[in-house]
């Protein structure tokens, strides 16, 4: 049966893994902070990601790296709205990476069709705003808040606690009127987890799939990959990022949120060829 992500009437085909390209319109993101802070450069970067194989562009105006400062609603809007408008006007499937209800509302008006929220629509007004927008939503697990989440992550049972949280947030979204086909879940790799816990999330992906929703994994260039490869710089973690996302795809993840779309697309072509080898002579 065909799997889709229903986003404001637009169906994104998830029968095969799709790439979500990251467009950070921030001065301080851990991997490319400041590189695309200028709106025009961010727009150009978005178009490059589409050319490189991204099916979705995830536009964010507030860094969620550990220790990142909060950004006002007004400043976040100034950063993301021009970028969303330009990319959406060109026909791109645009996601807004935000936890603020007002940013969600104005982003949808500007053409965004997806809301990607690290707080899983727990902030004031966000659940209702998301439901009213008709956008597809991605609900992520995070222990704590970005500024302190990596201070001392602790769980009695990591997989069960993450799974229960995701189920509760999906149920809340359904109760608010968000369609089940509009909901995607994200276990939150790197958000309030140790290195070992992050890789346990990846290894046990099937436990989250059992909830009945498509999964998004966002592991691109993260420090846990550097911890196991010895690559201290985020820009050196392209190969490990591709490997981690390919493992997620093999285990059933549908959306791969990455900085490096071209490299990810190439890996997925090999993965799909392996799955569909009978088509090749």
């Amino acid at each position: 049966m065909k799997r889709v992500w229903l986003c404001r009437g637009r169906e994104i085909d998830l029968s095969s893994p799709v790439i979500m390209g990251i467009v950070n319109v921030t001065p301080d993101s851990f991997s490319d902070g400041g590189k695309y802070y200028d709106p025009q450069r961010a727009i150009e970067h978005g178009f490059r990601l589409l050319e490189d194989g991204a099916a979705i562009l995830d536009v964010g105006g507030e860094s969620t790296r550990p220790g990142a400062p909060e950004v006002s609603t007004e400043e976040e809007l100034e950063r993301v709205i021009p970028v969303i408008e330009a990319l959406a006007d060109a026909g791109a499937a645009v996601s807004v990476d935000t936890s603020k209800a007002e940013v969600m509302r104005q982003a949808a008006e500007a053409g965004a069709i997806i809301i990607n929220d690290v707080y899983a629509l727990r902030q004031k007004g966000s659940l209702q705003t998301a439901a009213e927008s008709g956008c597809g939503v991605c609900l992520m697990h995070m222990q704590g808040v970005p500024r302190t989440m990596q201070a001392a992550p602790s769980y009695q049972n990591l997989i069960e606690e993450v799974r229960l949280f995701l189920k509760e947030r999906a149920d809340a979204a359904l109760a608010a009127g968000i369609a089940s086909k509009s909901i995607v879940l994200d276990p939150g790799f790197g958000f309030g987890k140790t290195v070992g816990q992050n890789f346990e999330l990846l290894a046990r992906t099937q436990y989250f799939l059992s909830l009945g929703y498509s999964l998004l994994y966002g592991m691109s260039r993260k420090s846990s990959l550097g911890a196991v490869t010895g690559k201290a710089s985020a820009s050196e973690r392209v190969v490990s990022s591709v490997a981690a996302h390919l493992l997620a795809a093999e285990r059933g993840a549908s959306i791969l949120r990455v900085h490096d779309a071209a490299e990810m697309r190439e890996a997925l072509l090999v993965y799909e060829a392996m799955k569909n080898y009978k088509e090749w002579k």
Side-chain angles (χ1 to χ4, degrees):
M1 185 174 68
K2 182 180 178 181
R3 287 189 298 164
V4 299
W5 194 1
L6 182 61
C7 307
R8 299 187 76 188
R10 182 169 174 176
E11 291 187 346
I12 297 176
D13 187 357
L14 301 181
S15 301
S16 297
V18 301
I19 296 169
M20 174 185 275
I22 299 170
V23 183
N24 285 324
V25 196
T26 61
D28 59 347
S29 290
F30 80 96
S31 178
D32 56 6
K35 194 172 183 180
Y36 308 112
Y37 188 39
D38 174 74
Q40 188 55 43
R41 293 186 68 184
I43 292 164
E44 292 170 358
H45 180 57
F47 287 134
R48 263 194 311 276
L49 288 169
L50 292 174
E51 292 174 0
D52 288 343
I56 304 165
L57 299 176
D58 193 38
V59 179
E62 180 175 15
S63 175
T64 53
R65 63 175 174 79
E70 293 183 3
V71 173
S72 70
T73 299
E74 292 73 20
E75 185 171 359
E76 190 174 344
L77 286 167
E78 288 177 4
R79 293 177 181 181
V80 302
I81 295 302
V83 179
I84 291 171
E85 285 179 337
L87 296 174
D89 285 349
V94 179
S95 165
V96 60
D97 181 1
T98 188
S99 300
K100 298 182 179 72
E102 184 60 18
V103 177
M104 294 174 188
R105 186 185 68 79
Q106 292 197 36
E109 290 179 355
I113 63 171
I114 296 166
I115 293 168
N116 181 20
D117 184 6
V118 299
Y119 282 91
L121 301 178
R122 288 178 290 151
Q123 301 290 73
K124 183 179 179 181
S126 61
L127 185 58
Q128 181 181 355
T129 300
E132 291 173 350
S133 74
C135 287
V137 299
C138 180
L139 310 174
M140 195 195 78
H141 174 273
M142 173 174 60
Q143 187 179 83
V145 298
R147 293 189 310 280
T148 60
M149 63 187 178
Q150 289 304 111
S154 178
Y155 300 86
Q156 294 297 315
N157 186 318
L158 172 72
I159 300 302
E160 282 304 312
E161 289 176 46
V162 173
R163 187 180 183 279
L164 178 60
F165 173 88
L166 293 175
K167 182 181 186 305
E168 289 175 344
R169 295 315 300 158
D171 288 347
L174 292 172
I178 298 174
S180 60
K181 286 185 177 181
S182 296
I183 299 171
V184 162
L185 304 179
D186 178 353
F189 191 101
F191 284 79
K193 285 96 178 174
T194 65
V195 174
Q197 289 164 352
N198 282 320
F199 284 100
E200 184 177 358
L201 291 179
L202 179 57
R204 303 180 74 181
T205 301
Q206 70 271 19
Y207 287 88
F208 309 121
L209 282 172
S210 66
L211 292 170
Y213 299 96
S214 296
L215 297 182
L216 181 152
Y217 267 76
M219 303 173 282
S220 188
R221 302 186 181 183
K222 290 195 172 175
S223 60
S224 287
L225 302 179
V228 301
T229 61
K231 301 294 185 181
S233 170
S235 63
E236 296 179 311
R237 301 173 193 153
V238 177
V239 174
S240 55
S241 297
V242 170
H245 286 102
L246 202 58
L247 290 169
E250 185 180 39
R251 284 157 176 75
S254 297
I255 304 108
L256 310 175
R257 184 179 182 273
V258 305
H259 294 87
D260 308 290
E263 291 84 352
M264 192 70 247
R265 176 60 178 159
E266 188 172 335
L268 286 175
L269 287 172
V270 175
Y271 172 66
E272 293 295 332
M274 182 271 297
K275 289 204 314 180
N276 303 308
Y277 63 90
K278 292 182 179 180
E279 297 179 6
W280 295 83
K281 304 298 182 183

